[in-house]
Amino acid sequence: MKCALKGSTINLSGSFKHPDNVTVAEKFWTVNPVRGQSISLMNHSDYRDRVQLFQNEEAMFFLRFSNVTHEDEGMYCLRILTGVEKQRFLGFPGPELKVTGTLRVEIPAEIIEGESPVLFCKTTCDLSGKTNFTWYKNGKRLSERIVSDQLLLPSVSSDDTGNYSCAVRDQKHLSSPAVTLSVRYPPKSVSVSISPSGVIVEGDSVTLSCSSDSNPPALIFSWFKENQSSAVGSGQSFSISSFNSSHSGRFYCEAQNKHGSQRSASVSVTVKESSSSLITVAVGISASVCVHVHFFSSHRKRVTSSEEQNPRGSRHSKTLEAPEDTYMTLDPQSRCSEYDTLDNMKRSCENTDDPKAQDPTYYNIVQ
């Protein structure tokens, strides 16, 4: 049986021998011969424009049949007529033609990365044998060395995912419908993104998002903080509200599907303290900061000349009065040289010879 695609062109062949004393008057192809009724295809209106006859040196006779349809199915025989009425010959049975609608590609139900699946180009009848095939991926022809109705894909990866089709050689216009081959694989290229992406200030809400390349898509996500044995969160997004320094550290996520899992590289998440917190810390870190600041009295008082006069004699003898709306400024550095905190400053100044330094009202300082 000869199988042909609808719309394709095929060749049917046959040969015969006869005694030397027989003169051949006519040779032609006929279809579904009936005794006493042999119609030449060349004279039939349904065939004459679609058939051609050829003969080679070995006395092989060929029928080239173009644009075949389902109505062309049947048995084709070579008929030989001689000059003698009763000397007629029929090559029976002849090749039987079966016409199929389209090609189709068959692939395994599930293909996992690393496997070596085989794709088949099939029809309702068998086109194999001497028929050469062409394979296409995403409309682009694969290697010319592939001429079989089977396509082997060794050790597939995600790169082999695509739309595959096949055709009988030189008849791309009759190729099969494309079939999508999808390679299954575990998560890869797992990464973490941070929102907001800029500087994180104490009190901000921070969201970490996990992404991956996998087939099927990963549905299980776990979040970890380095140096902690158990997960700190789950889900594709992980949020921390009111972020503070205790949350700082390196985080990573793990994506998982039914074929495996993979973890991301860790990302560092740190917090920049607010400006108010920085001032508080700066004042409390070291007493050396106090060296560069002045202390302001909260009590406004009048200063007499006797209180302000230099004990060793000063040419300023009249009474001095501070303006009502100002604060008196005490510069400890002008009174004593050895100080670093308020307590140390008081103890140091208690040992001075300056009598005003012994006045308890002299250090009227808000602490």
Side-chain angles (χ1 to χ4, degrees), residues 104-180:
R104 70 181 187 276
V105 173
E106 292 185 355
I107 63 175
E110 184 175 73
I111 302 174
I112 301 175
E113 189 174 45
E115 293 181 343
S116 299
V118 177
L119 281 60
F120 294 89
C121 187
K122 289 188 174 183
T123 64
T124 54
C125 55
D126 187 12
L127 287 175
S128 59
K130 295 183 179 180
T131 303
N132 290 334
F133 292 81
T134 303
W135 286 89
Y136 302 88
K137 177 185 176 184
N138 298 328
K140 184 178 180 181
R141 183 175 180 174
L142 297 177
S143 173
E144 294 186 2
R145 292 175 297 176
I146 304 173
V147 297
S148 170
D149 60 342
Q150 301 179 18
L151 175 63
L152 171 65
L153 298 176
S155 189
V156 294
S157 68
S158 57
D159 293 336
D160 293 304
T161 295
N163 299 317
Y164 289 80
S165 60
C166 64
V168 174
R169 178 65 61 87
D170 301 326
Q171 298 189 56
K172 183 180 178 181
H173 65 290
L174 298 175
S175 63
S176 70
V179 174
T180 300

Side-chain angles (χ1 to χ4, degrees), residues 147-259:
V147 297
S148 170
D149 60 342
Q150 301 179 18
L151 175 63
L152 171 65
L153 298 176
S155 189
V156 294
S157 68
S158 57
D159 293 336
D160 293 304
T161 295
N163 299 317
Y164 289 80
S165 60
C166 64
V168 174
R169 178 65 61 87
D170 301 326
Q171 298 189 56
K172 183 180 178 181
H173 65 290
L174 298 175
S175 63
S176 70
V179 174
T180 300
L181 182 148
S182 181
V183 179
R184 309 285 180 166
Y185 53 92
K188 59 180 68 174
S189 303
V190 182
S191 62
V192 175
S193 60
I194 307 174
S195 178
S197 57
V199 175
I200 300 172
V201 179
E202 187 172 13
D204 281 353
S205 178
V206 178
T207 299
L208 306 180
S209 298
C210 188
S211 62
S212 69
D213 172 24
S214 60
N215 187 24
L219 297 178
I220 301 175
F221 296 88
S222 301
W223 291 92
F224 298 88
K225 187 177 183 181
E226 287 190 352
N227 301 322
Q228 291 190 15
S229 58
S230 59
V232 296
S234 61
Q236 193 164 3
S237 296
F238 172 57
S239 296
I240 303 175
S241 58
S242 299
F243 199 94
N244 58 52
S245 57
S246 67
H247 297 125
S248 296
R250 299 188 68 85
F251 293 83
Y252 64 90
C253 73
E254 183 179 85
Q256 180 180 351
N257 66 7
K258 68 177 184 178
H259 300 296

Side-chain angles (χ1 to χ4, degrees), residues 77-90:
C77 301
L78 184 61
R79 185 73 167 171
I80 308 296
L81 301 181
T82 68
V84 180
E85 179 66 24
K86 293 184 179 181
Q87 290 184 340
R88 299 180 178 183
F89 303 92
L90 179 67

